[in-house]
Structure formats: C-alpha cells, structure tokens
Amino acid sequence: MRSMMVAVVLVLALVVGGCGDEPDALQRDVDAIAALGTTGVQARFVDAATGADRSRATGRTDTNAAEQVSTEGYFRIGSLTKTMVATVVLQLVGEGRLTLDDTVQQWIPDVVHGNGNDGSVITVRQLLQHTSGIHESPPEMTTADDYYRLRYQVRDPRETVASAMRHAPDFAPGAGWSYSNTGYVLSGMIIEQVTDRPWHDEVRTRILEPLGLRDTHWPGTTPTLPTPHAHGYQQFEADGPLIDVTELVDADASVGHISTTADVGAFYRNLLGGKLLRPEELAQMRTTVPVDGVTGMVWPGASYGLGLFSVPLTCGGTYWMHNGGQTGFLTNAGVTDDGSRSAVVSLSATLAVGEDVARSRGFAQLRAVNELVDHALCEK
C-alpha cells in the first residue's frame, strides 16, 4: 500500500493547465495540495473587474487510468448547498413570506421535540447560523463497509431530524455555535412549507436559472456524476487506503448539489455582488457570530453569518466563503467582499483527520486549500 501511494504522488506531478516550465502561483498551490496525497485537484480564479479567468488542475480522474483531471469537471459541492438554501430563505424573507424570527414550530410543528429539544424556541435565523443548539448526529459513513452498505440509501429528511432528536441539545438556542447539518435539513423543510414546492426546485428557479448556471444540478436519487468528472476517494482512517466512493445518494438540503468551479464561482460572485438579495437581506446574511472548535482551528478568526463564513485575508480585510466536504470530495469557494473576485478549488479525495486533528493529513489538506483561496484573492 505504501508503494502504491508513492506511485500516486509521482503521477500527481503530471500537471494539467500549467504555464510553461514555470508554474504560476495558482498552479503551485494546486500542486501543493496534490503533494499531500490528493488524487485530483482543480481550481479556478475569476476577477470580474479585469476579465481574468484562470483554471488549473493536476492529477488523474481515476487511480487506475491515465486520464487527467479536467478543469471543467463536475463534483459534489457538499455544504456549499447551504449558501443556496440560506439565499432562498432570505429571498422569502424579502418577499414577506416568513421572518428570521419565526420559529421552527410555526412552520413544521411537532418535528423538533423530545430530549430537551423544543422547536417553539428555535428560530429560522438560528437554523441558518448554526446557533440552534441541535446536536449533530455522528456521520453514518465512517468506514468503507459503511459506504458500501449505505451508498444507495435514500434518506428521508424527517428521519434525519428524528436521529438528531434522540440527543439532548448541545446548548440553549442562541447560547453557542455548533455546525449542524440537521439545521439545514430543517431549513429545506421550511422552504417547502412556505412555497409548497421542493426546496431544490426553489433553488433552481430562484438561483440557477436566473444566473444561467446550467452545469449545477440536484441529483436526487441518481448516484452517478455527469461527464467529465474525477472519481471521488475517501480515506476513512489515518494511513488507510483511499476508497473509491464516487457513487453516492446524498442530496438533502445540507449537501445536495453537483456543480463545476465555473458555476460555483459565478453563484458566489453574484450573491456578494448583490444580484440575488436585497441590501437588507444581504446585510442579514453577512451579520456573523464567532465560530469555535475544529472549525475555528481550520479557519482562525472566522465567523459565520447565514450560510456564509467570514474569514480574514492575509493581505487585509476579509473574504466570504463556504467549505463543502461530502464523501470523496472537498470544495472551498471564496469571494471578495464586493463580489468581484472568486476562487474555487475542488479536491477529488478527502484525507483522514484522525484523533490528533492538527497533525493529520486531512487537516494539512484543509489548510493548503485555504492558502490557495487566500493567495488567489490577495493576488495583486
């Protein structure tokens, strides 16, 4: 296994989209992520003010084939979906169809209850900001056997919520911060109650179609990815093998969509550029609270708004971003405060974090991704 990993790293030296013999800064950062053992990486930087649009990639689409990673490849965006869901909720707020202070109980009665959970005191804002206190259930896929057993399982949102309700809250609503996928599953359910339509249809008609994002899709129960795409690999345990986890059914309102670096960047530039929300709702989205725990370790100084992180730039100021980790894929999207510049990087392998988080390859992978985004947005 060790010799196989050495061979993979050597193959990763083959670069797609480089600039002559001397790679540019974006290519160097892509290569640095690959050198950690990531099978494939693609990244795109866009500066709308200058018209710059640069994409770089490295690695192979499949460890058993020679095809190189495409800069136009599709991937699972994971939690970047949360920003889309938050945007739809805030559009509904702007239309007067609900408020951020509405409670969960008002829209979906008798769903959040038991073991100290109480939907009558949890607000829509708290769901979107991860301040509801709802306990995050442990991930189901922690081993390769789990993946093979569960990869085609269709998850009912109410079952996801019921699983979380088996635990007491982590804290009283509004009294802390803790990342909660369940909070966004509930947000999707609220969208459906307000609009009488599936949450992903609202994302499509309110965001994807108006912006012309034709390469962004909600896959539903389809486990495969469109072509072209790289295979996704998951390292379930430190120093363990990379398992091909490309096929997966996992499309709820916390992680749902498939996209490309071009579409993802366009979404975030338009959002921060004021094209999707009125100033009042965009200001609410950008009103943040501090994060803590492992999240604070990965993004020092970060805070969280409604579906968006605010992260300090090394060159001064802040940028807005979201990370999306979904079995086999890892994505970061960052955009400047005015929406003019975006940097998106997608990895087709996620490395294990392990018990010693700060010393793990998975942690190093996350930090290298952050450095790419920071370097690109700070570029003179």
Side-chain angles (χ1 to χ4, degrees):
M1 183 58 63
R2 191 177 299 275
S3 61
M4 184 190 79
M5 288 304 298
V6 171
V8 169
V9 172
L10 289 174
V11 170
L12 290 171
L14 296 173
V15 172
V16 179
C19 299
D21 294 330
E22 292 294 329
D24 62 14
L26 186 60
Q27 186 68 61
R28 286 194 299 272
D29 284 341
V30 164
D31 293 342
I33 297 169
L36 296 170
T38 311
T39 56
V41 186
Q42 58 167 312
R44 183 179 299 271
F45 167 75
V46 173
D47 186 337
T50 64
D53 186 342
R54 298 197 304 276
S55 56
R56 303 287 183 264
T58 191
R60 294 184 299 171
T61 60
D62 183 345
T63 57
N64 297 313
E67 184 179 0
Q68 296 176 325
V69 172
S70 169
T71 57
E72 309 300 323
Y74 292 90
F75 50 87
R76 302 185 193 283
I77 71 171
S79 287
L80 275 65
T81 298
K82 290 181 172 69
T83 314
M84 297 180 179
V85 169
T87 300
V88 170
V89 171
L90 285 164
Q91 287 179 342
L92 293 171
V93 169
E95 294 164 11
R97 300 176 70 178
L98 79 162
T99 78
L100 291 172
D101 294 323
D102 287 353
T103 67
V104 175
Q105 181 72 12
Q106 285 177 249
W107 290 104
I108 41 176
D110 304 322
V111 172
V112 176
H113 62 87
N115 294 309
N117 296 284
D118 184 354
S120 70
V121 294
I122 296 173
T123 66
V124 173
R125 183 193 304 276
Q126 289 163 348
L127 294 180
L128 298 180
Q129 199 155 41
H130 301 301
T131 57
S132 69
I134 293 173
H135 182 78
E136 181 66 9
S137 296
E140 294 181 299
M141 292 186 187
T142 59
T143 68
D145 287 343
D146 290 340
Y147 165 73
Y148 293 125
R149 178 170 52 89
L150 299 171
R151 58 181 165 170
Y152 302 131
Q153 174 182 289
V154 178
R155 296 167 180 80
D156 185 303
R158 288 182 177 264
E159 292 176 357
T160 299
V161 176
S163 177
M165 295 301 103
R166 297 187 188 106
H167 302 270
D170 292 337
F171 47 80
W177 187 90
S178 182
Y179 196 86
S180 174
N181 287 297
T182 304
Y184 273 79
V185 173
L186 287 163
S187 298
M189 294 168 67
I190 290 172
I191 289 171
E192 294 180 356
Q193 285 295 111
V194 175
T195 66
D196 199 28
R197 296 181 46 181
W199 67 269
H200 47 85
D201 281 354
E202 292 296 320
V203 169
R204 176 175 51 80
T205 58
R206 289 171 172 272
I207 298 173
L208 306 183
E209 290 177 352
L211 296 182
L213 304 183
R214 298 179 180 86
D215 291 324
T216 303
H217 313 284
W218 182 73
T221 58
T222 301
T224 55
L225 292 168
T227 301
H229 69 265
H231 285 234
Y233 293 90
Q234 182 79 32
Q235 186 183 45
F236 287 100
E237 56 188 24
D239 299 322
L242 289 170
I243 305 298
D244 189 329
V245 293
T246 307
E247 293 195 0
L248 181 69
V249 175
D250 190 12
D252 65 29
S254 71
V255 293
H257 284 75
I258 290 168
S259 192
T260 63
T261 57
D263 269 17
V264 167
F267 163 62
Y268 280 96
R269 291 194 307 278
N270 278 281
L271 175 61
L272 271 298
K275 303 294 178 57
L276 291 172
L277 294 174
R278 301 187 314 166
E280 296 88 339
E281 281 70 55
L282 185 57
Q284 292 285 350
M285 177 176 262
R286 289 157 47 122
T287 300
T288 64
V289 296
V291 306
D292 54 21
V294 174
T295 305
M297 292 171 58
V298 176
W299 294 284
S303 57
Y304 199 87
L306 305 183
L308 277 178
F309 285 96
S310 172
V311 181
L313 281 166
T314 58
C315 54
T318 61
Y319 70 98
W320 298 91
M321 60 81 66
H322 215 289
N323 166 271
Q326 192 171 10
T327 308
F329 293 91
L330 178 66
T331 306
N332 263 32
V335 61
T336 51
D337 192 66
D338 63 354
S340 64
R341 284 184 167 196
S342 64
V344 182
V345 56
S346 174
L347 285 56
S348 50
T350 53
L351 304 179
V353 174
E355 294 182 6
D356 189 353
V357 174
R359 296 179 182 273
S360 68
R361 293 170 68 201
F363 186 81
Q365 190 182 47
L366 287 166
R367 295 309 300 268
V369 168
N370 297 344
E371 289 177 3
L372 181 151
V373 173
D374 181 86
H375 293 165
L377 297 182
C378 280
E379 183 181 80
K380 300 296 184 183

